[in-house]
């Protein structure tokens, strides 16, 4: 991918984020797929948290499987061992994004490194195979709700998101969801950069006399 060049003697910053993408509960899925809703209230616009099991290996008291954790999100009986905190756990992506905005406003990063798991729970919620010169309604909807409408503001607007696929972006337990639409979105967005599943780029800082080589490897085949 073409080299990025950043002139100047000031501090330079690259932010990194991963495993960030929530569920788009307001999406009306195609292909007979179920809505991306894990708990009552999850159909709202914007990202909803995926309530995974919480297993603390060194603390047998603080353990919580998926079903009891869902009840926590729904305001029902919530076991102490789930460690659920209302207004924190149910706004996880939005709170991280807010902290990121505040930090970006101060540090003005040049680039964002995005290390994958961009959309839960199984990536773009359609079968792969959409022509690479078009973006499906499903992909547009998920990008708008989970990415474009969340990570914006001074310090983040217009900054390249150098991205790679995570296992959930392939489909979680499968590999045929709309992962190719995340690659295609590179040419539909002024900031999303994922030209391939494997790729590389360089950031040069000529005034300060150094450069950074960045390699983006998709290692999901080791999980297959």
């Amino acid at each position: 991918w073409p080299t990025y060049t950043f002139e100047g003697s000031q501090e330079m910053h690259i932010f990194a984020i991963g495993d960030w993408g929530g569920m788009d509960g307001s999406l009306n899925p195609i292909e007979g797929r179920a809505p991306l809703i894990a708990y009552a209230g999850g159909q709202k616009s914007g990202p909803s948290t995926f309530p995974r099991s919480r297993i603390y290996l060194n603390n047998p008291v603080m353990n919580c499987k998926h079903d009891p954790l869902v009840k926590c999100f729904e305001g029902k009986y919530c076991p102490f061992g789930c460690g659920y905190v209302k207004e924190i756990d149910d706004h996880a992506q939005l709170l991280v994004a807010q902290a990121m905005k505040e930090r970006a406003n101060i540090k003005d990063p040049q680039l964002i490194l995005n290390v994958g798991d961009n959309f839960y729970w199984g990536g773009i919620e359609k079968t792969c195979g959409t022509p690479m010169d078009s973006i499906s309604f499903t992909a547009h909807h998920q990008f708008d709700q989970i990415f474009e409408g969340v990570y914006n503001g001074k310090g983040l607007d217009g900054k390249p998101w150098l991205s790679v696929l995570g296992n959930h972006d392939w489909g979680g337990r499968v590999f045929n969801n709309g992962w190719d639409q995340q690659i295609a979105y590179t040419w539909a967005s002024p900031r999303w950069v994922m030209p391939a599943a494997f790729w590389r780029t360089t950031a040069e800082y000529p005034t300060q006399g150094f450069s950074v080589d960045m390699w983006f490897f998709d290692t999901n085949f080791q999980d297959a």
Side-chain angles (χ1 to χ4, degrees):
W1 193 252
T3 296
Y4 295 92
T5 301
F6 303 104
E7 300 279 2
S9 57
Q10 73 274 22
E11 284 188 1
M12 300 291 184
H13 298 274
I14 298 176
F15 283 11
I17 188 171
D19 210 6
W20 51 268
M23 299 186 299
D24 180 5
S26 63
L27 174 69
N28 184 16
I30 62 174
E31 302 174 351
R33 295 169 178 247
L36 299 174
I37 299 173
Y39 50 88
Q43 70 275 12
K44 68 181 187 303
S45 296
S48 296
T49 305
F50 179 60
R52 300 190 66 169
S53 301
R54 291 179 169 177
I55 307 299
Y56 301 87
L57 296 179
N58 297 320
N59 188 340
V61 176
M62 299 298 292
N63 282 287
C64 185
K65 294 188 178 298
H66 173 74
D67 289 344
L69 189 55
V70 167
K71 292 181 179 179
C72 297
F73 276 80
E74 294 179 334
K76 300 176 181 177
Y77 170 71
C78 184
F80 172 78
C82 289
Y84 175 80
V85 180
K86 186 173 177 56
E87 302 298 331
I88 301 294
D89 290 310
D90 52 348
H91 291 84
Q93 183 182 345
L94 295 175
L95 290 171
V96 172
Q98 182 59 39
M100 192 173 180
K101 291 178 186 180
E102 293 172 2
R103 192 69 173 170
N105 186 39
I106 299 171
K107 293 300 184 181
D108 191 26
Q110 287 74 49
L111 299 168
I112 314 296
L113 287 183
N114 167 29
V115 300
D117 280 358
N118 310 317
F119 299 94
Y120 267 75
W121 48 65
I124 300 301
E125 199 62 27
K126 69 177 301 297
T127 303
C128 61
T130 301
M132 291 296 287
D133 61 352
S134 63
I135 302 299
S136 64
F137 169 82
T138 298
H140 261 305
H141 199 283
Q142 288 186 252
F143 266 102
D144 287 347
Q145 295 293 317
I146 307 302
F147 175 64
E148 301 289 3
V150 177
Y151 302 100
N152 46 49
K154 185 180 178 182
L156 291 179
D157 288 342
K159 302 301 175 64
W161 281 61
L162 311 183
S163 304
V164 72
L165 295 166
N167 67 305
H168 285 271
D169 297 309
W170 287 95
R173 66 183 185 280
V174 297
F175 57 87
N176 59 349
N177 269 7
W179 56 269
D180 50 350
Q181 285 281 272
Q182 293 197 46
I183 294 174
Y185 197 71
T186 301
W187 290 273
S189 166
R191 57 178 181 154
W192 183 266
V193 183
M194 187 195 290
F198 298 82
W199 65 284
R200 65 170 294 274
T201 190
T202 298
E204 291 183 342
Y205 304 85
T207 307
Q208 302 189 43
F210 73 95
S211 63
V212 179
D213 292 326
M214 290 165 281
W215 300 77
F216 297 82
F217 291 99
D218 179 358
T219 58
N220 284 292
F221 73 93
Q222 298 183 24
D223 251 355

